[in-house]
Amino acid sequence: MGDYYVESIVGAIAQEIKALIDNNVITEDKKIVLCGLDTYSFAMRTILANFGFRVDCYISNNPEQLMSYKRQIKAISARYLNSSKDLIGINSIDERLCPFDERALVICSSKDCPKAKLEELNYRERVNFFQVYDWGRDDFAQSMQGKRKMTLKEIQGVEKDMLCIVDQFCRDRNIRYWVCGGTLLGALRHKGFIPWDDDVDIFMPREEYQIFIKEFKGNKNLSLIVPGASDRRNYFELFSKVVDNRTIVREDSVFLRKVHPAAIDIFPLIGLPEDDGKRGLFFKQYYELEKTIWEDYYAHNGDLGVYNKWYTAQKEFLESYDFDKSDYVGVLATAYKERDCTARKVYKSTLRMPFEDIEVNVPIGYEEYLDNLYGKDWMELPAEGGRVSHHNMEAYWM
């Protein structure tokens, strides 16, 4: 698989909290105060509950956040509860920690820990308050010292070369594929990459996708990462990647840091139910499965190994309907969700179109597909503020 790993930020936070429990810092007699109103603080509450500890309250120094969340608490209490006394409270730092409370134990996992404010109120770091995730530590940056950072043009060049090789491989074997998403939009609007884009996406009918992942061997620089059921801690996606092993990329999301070579993504295009209601139910059932997996991830304190036991259930969705026997087709596990679903006639035949200095496969019904994804004005450039990549990534030459 090469250089591919995933860091679970929730898992790292859970390890730090467990260490505080093991060292008798977090104890039953302490009032646990979580600093911040963000996803990391909310994850901490779940982790602490998993270890059998109840949170006293959340605190924040952000007046707008405080007002918003306090309003939500009131709304929940008014609509669903007789009393809000069992809900976890939300306070400003001064409201909860002034005067000094010797039983309060403040735990923060946010990027913006109000250390100075806490110290001003006599809460000492590693005594009365603890930062349980070190956002300043960067093992990846440390390991990249001496490596040359890739420019956007270089990333696009590597991806275009991979696309060219995949294109030739598929044409030699009569494997259908089509560029999709931003890659398709780039082909139509820019005759190549969207200038600020940094990835390439491809669709293949699932049956031919299976042939591709079985037969594509790459070369001395290229290899294939394929989803599987054995150990998904380092790769839990439902699609495959062709990767260039001369490169390394870090991509950050809210709870995960993924490290892998520069890649192009290959999605299996699957059949879907013909009836609108059944198709809607199919997607709802799949998204419910995704939510269940995510809940399992939290219940196991950010252990990505939970994905192993869900692979068969996810795979069943991919295999439910045959692409060529279905009137509607689409993909799972993309950011566009149902918008990636169209009538199969969109892929009835293939056009060859320029992409930079090569040609690629484009579905005959590209207009319907792009209308679905971006609206009918997709040929118009977004405002300057919107001309940014949706990936938070950096890449290096190995």
Side-chain angles (χ1 to χ4, degrees):
M1 184 175 288
D3 294 306
Y4 197 110
Y5 66 88
V6 180
E7 177 192 350
S8 166
I9 295 175
V10 173
I13 291 171
Q15 288 176 9
E16 290 295 319
I17 288 176
K18 185 176 186 304
L20 293 178
I21 295 169
D22 292 343
N23 292 321
N24 291 316
V25 175
I26 296 175
T27 56
E28 292 291 344
D29 63 323
K30 293 292 186 183
K31 294 180 179 178
I32 301 171
V33 176
L34 301 184
C35 187
L37 292 171
D38 58 21
T39 48
Y40 306 109
S41 293
F42 303 145
M44 281 199 299
R45 188 211 61 80
T46 302
I47 292 164
L48 285 158
N50 292 341
F51 286 124
F53 290 89
R54 191 181 190 283
V55 170
D56 179 76
C57 72
Y58 294 101
I59 57 173
S60 173
N61 230 16
N62 184 317
E64 289 185 12
Q65 276 190 329
L66 283 166
M67 187 183 302
S68 173
Y69 279 100
K70 283 184 176 183
R71 167 46 54 200
Q72 289 182 44
I73 290 286
K74 287 181 180 178
I76 291 169
S77 178
R79 182 175 293 184
Y80 302 112
L81 306 172
N82 292 324
S83 168
S84 61
K85 64 183 174 65
D86 291 327
L87 293 171
I88 297 173
I90 297 174
N91 304 106
S92 71
I93 292 178
D94 285 326
E95 283 174 336
R96 177 60 187 84
L97 298 179
C98 185
F100 180 81
D101 182 353
E102 64 180 14
R103 290 182 61 197
L105 182 69
V106 182
I107 306 176
C108 184
S109 60
S110 303
K111 294 179 182 179
D112 301 317
C113 179
K115 180 178 176 180
K117 175 66 175 176
L118 292 168
E119 289 178 337
E120 179 187 312
L121 298 175
N122 296 318
Y123 294 87
R124 291 184 294 151
E125 189 171 12
R126 308 299 300 176
V127 177
N128 312 103
F129 83 87
F130 292 80
Q131 176 78 22
V132 293
Y133 190 81
D134 184 359
W135 292 97
R137 178 180 171 183
D138 194 336
D139 293 336
F140 177 79
Q142 204 59 28
S143 67
M144 290 299 106
Q145 287 192 0
K147 309 286 188 187
R148 186 166 70 82
K149 194 170 185 177
M150 297 176 72
T151 65
L152 176 58
K153 281 293 183 188
E154 287 176 321
I155 295 170
Q156 291 175 341
V158 165
E159 292 171 347
K160 184 210 68 179
D161 290 344
M162 284 191 279
L163 178 57
C164 183
I165 290 168
V166 169
D167 171 78
Q168 191 61 57
F169 180 90
C170 291
R171 292 172 67 203
D172 288 346
R173 289 159 181 78
N174 292 319
I175 294 174
R176 289 171 292 175
Y177 88 87
W178 303 277
V179 293
C180 58
T183 311
L184 177 57
L185 177 59
L188 270 296
R189 195 170 67 192
H190 304 275
K191 300 191 186 309
F193 284 97
I194 297 172
W196 51 90
D197 200 11
D198 51 23
D199 72 342
V200 166
D201 296 318
I202 291 175
F203 283 168
M204 288 182 189
R206 190 188 68 82
E207 293 75 14
E208 286 160 75
Y209 165 89
Q210 292 297 123
I211 296 171
F212 178 86
I213 63 175
K214 182 179 179 180
E215 296 186 1
F216 184 81
K217 305 303 180 187
N219 57 36
K220 65 178 183 178
N221 295 325
L222 301 191
S223 57
L224 189 64
I225 299 175
V226 178
S230 55
D231 188 354
R232 303 178 73 194
R233 284 179 177 85
N234 292 327
Y235 192 72
F236 56 84
E237 313 289 5
L238 281 184
F239 56 91
S240 296
K241 289 178 180 284
V242 174
V243 300
D244 188 317
N245 296 305
R246 300 170 301 169
T247 66
I248 195 76
V249 173
R250 180 177 66 185
E251 186 177 348
D252 287 354
S253 60
V254 176
F255 285 128
L256 302 172
R257 285 180 165 174
K258 301 178 184 180
V259 175
H260 54 82
I264 61 175
D265 295 337
I266 303 177
F267 294 90
L269 192 55
I270 65 172
L272 297 169
E274 180 177 353
D275 178 76
D276 289 350
K278 289 182 179 178
R279 192 163 60 252
L281 180 61
F282 179 87
F283 278 108
K284 286 177 182 176
Q285 289 172 330
Y286 178 73
Y287 298 141
E288 184 60 32
L289 174 61
E290 282 194 328
K291 289 176 184 175
T292 301
I293 297 171
W294 201 237
E295 288 165 0
D296 201 14
Y297 167 79
Y298 275 107
H300 288 82
N301 293 331
D303 181 3
L304 290 164
V306 301
Y307 276 86
N308 291 340
K309 67 182 179 183
W310 294 105
Y311 180 72
T312 300
Q314 288 179 294
K315 192 165 174 278
E316 284 176 1
F317 276 90
L318 297 177
E319 297 174 347
S320 298
Y321 299 90
D322 186 288
F323 173 86
D324 284 307
K325 295 178 181 176
S326 302
D327 289 334
Y328 285 85
V329 297
V331 292
L332 299 175
T334 75
Y336 299 113
K337 297 190 174 182
E338 291 98 324
R339 285 184 291 155
D340 257 328
C341 164
T342 64
R344 182 167 58 85
K345 62 182 175 59
V346 164
Y347 304 98
K348 182 172 61 176
S349 59
T350 299
L351 305 172
R352 295 287 287 174
M353 287 194 175
F355 190 88
E356 303 296 333
D357 58 353
I358 64 173
E359 288 189 340
V360 294
N361 285 359
V362 168
I364 188 73
Y366 63 82
E367 286 190 53
E368 179 180 333
Y369 173 84
L370 291 173
D371 286 352
N372 256 20
L373 256 59
Y374 303 113
K376 295 186 180 296
D377 59 350
W378 48 265
M379 280 298 285
E380 297 178 19
L381 287 171
E384 285 195 24
R387 299 176 193 179
V388 294
S389 168
H390 60 276
H391 297 112
N392 182 12
M393 61 172 278
E394 52 184 324
Y396 293 83
W397 291 104
M398 289 296 285

